[in-house]
Amino acid sequence: NEIASLLEDGQNYLNQQLKLSNDENGEQEGETIIDPNLIPLFFRDREVVPMDEVRDTYGNSAFAGYLDGCSIIQNHADRMCPPLASLSLDLQKSFPHIFVNTYLTPPKA
């Protein structure tokens, strides 16, 4: 399924960008080096799902959230998806400022 593949690719990209190290007690520490604009937003019943709930409920998986009825919004998707980046570059020839946001809403949501 093409949608599932795009969601998985985006999730893999996010996972690669998150750099965490372990301190001497084995607890995770470190800085996130990802642009916060690249973290997908989850909406349920037209309300934003808090990030701690996204982490605890869906393991930060956009695919799991979508399957549970959440709408997924990915701002600046052109930074994560080469075909969208190419489209943005082409459009920049005619328009001064281009970026791509994607919206994925499950049926009956």
Side-chain angles (χ1 to χ4, degrees):
N1 182 324
E2 197 169 325
I3 292 173
S5 176
L6 286 173
L7 284 171
E8 185 176 341
D9 289 348
Q11 188 66 47
N12 288 338
Y13 177 82
L14 287 173
N15 290 339
Q16 289 172 2
Q17 297 302 308
L18 295 174
K19 299 290 185 189
L20 297 174
S21 61
N22 290 326
D23 67 8
E24 63 272 0
N25 298 322
E27 295 183 23
Q28 291 184 338
E29 64 176 16
E31 286 187 31
T32 301
I33 62 167
I34 190 166
D35 181 342
N37 291 319
L38 299 182
I39 297 173
L41 302 173
F42 291 63
F43 282 79
R44 186 183 320 109
D45 299 323
R46 300 181 184 186
E47 298 288 330
V48 176
V49 179
M51 290 309 293
D52 58 340
E53 183 179 340
V54 169
R55 182 192 62 241
D56 296 344
T57 305
Y58 307 118
N60 290 326
S61 169
F63 188 64
Y66 177 81
L67 290 177
D68 194 41
C70 291
S71 293
I72 310 298
I73 298 173
Q74 180 63 64
N75 294 317
H76 300 284
D78 50 303
R79 295 185 187 173
M80 298 174 60
C81 178
L84 292 177
S86 178
L87 173 64
S88 291
L89 288 173
D90 286 344
L91 288 171
Q92 284 178 1
K93 295 172 187 170
S94 300
F95 301 97
H97 181 74
I98 298 293
F99 60 90
V100 177
N101 295 335
T102 59
Y103 300 82
L104 185 62
T105 300
K108 301 180 184 176

